Amino acid sequence: MSTLTHFDTHGQAHMVDVADKPATRRVAVATGRIAMQPATLALIRLGNAKKGDVLGIARIAAIQAAKKTSELIPLCHPLALTRVAVAFALPGEGDAAAWVDCTVTAETIGPTGVEMEALTAVQVGLLTIYDMCKAADRGMVMTDVRLLEKRGGKSGDYLAGGSAA
């Protein structure tokens, strides 16, 4: 089992020193879901939610959150992101389920990974959907926020549900 890297030998929290780590291409993919009432999903699909284009605004919020992750997570390094891509998936028109999935891919070239940026972006994207639709549905539930994939770095690659290299 690995040790926790954000604690020094005295058990004090510290920011990990990445100065001697090589700059490599780092990629992380994270996802999450917000479940809602069918009528709320209909508002999102039609684009006539009271506050405007829900998914368009949520996309911008997710990108902005990825860029500000180090301001929110105390021991997270500030990164120069090279790409943040946000994708939304909705159930088919005839499906009785009502949800929106948010998947974020974050990339950088640097000495540390982008998992926290991808995870933060997903959660803020989902929170933005909640904020924009709460007048219609306060019972929305955000679930299953998780890392799907990580590439690059000393610890190797990670793929949810199976392999780590």
Side-chain angles (χ1 to χ4, degrees):
M1 181 175 201
S2 298
T3 60
L4 298 176
T5 59
H6 286 87
F7 296 96
D8 65 18
T9 56
H10 298 68
Q12 301 295 312
H14 74 106
M15 191 173 200
V16 175
D17 182 359
V18 296
D20 292 332
K21 292 173 74 177
T24 60
R25 182 169 182 256
R26 315 290 185 120
V27 179
V29 182
T31 193
R33 172 172 286 188
I34 186 165
M36 61 196 61
Q37 297 173 7
T40 308
L41 180 60
L43 288 172
I44 292 170
R45 282 188 198 280
L46 294 172
N48 62 0
K50 191 173 185 175
K51 294 185 179 182
D53 176 11
V54 173
L55 298 182
I57 299 301
R59 177 175 287 107
I60 297 301
I63 292 167
Q64 196 171 9
K67 293 172 15 178
K68 295 201 171 271
T69 299
S70 67
E71 295 175 30
L72 300 169
I73 310 296
L75 301 177
C76 189
H77 291 84
L79 299 179
L81 295 169
T82 57
R83 182 172 91 100
V84 178
V86 181
F88 295 103
L90 290 71
E93 278 297 331
D95 199 324
W99 47 262
V100 176
D101 284 349
C102 177
T103 302
V104 173
T105 302
E107 297 186 29
T108 192
I109 297 174
T112 190
V114 289
E115 299 95 81
M116 295 310 299
E117 286 72 13
L119 288 162
T120 300
V122 165
Q123 193 65 66
V124 170
L126 296 175
L127 284 166
T128 301
I129 292 170
Y130 186 94
D131 179 53
M132 294 191 70
C133 297
K134 70 184 179 226
D137 183 358
R138 293 202 187 269
M140 292 175 281
V141 177
M142 290 163 271
T143 63
D144 301 321
V145 174
R146 66 194 182 281
L147 184 67
L148 292 178
E149 180 180 349
K150 169 237 181 268
R151 293 193 309 266
K154 186 173 119 181
S155 64
D157 296 349
Y158 167 81
L159 186 60
S163 62

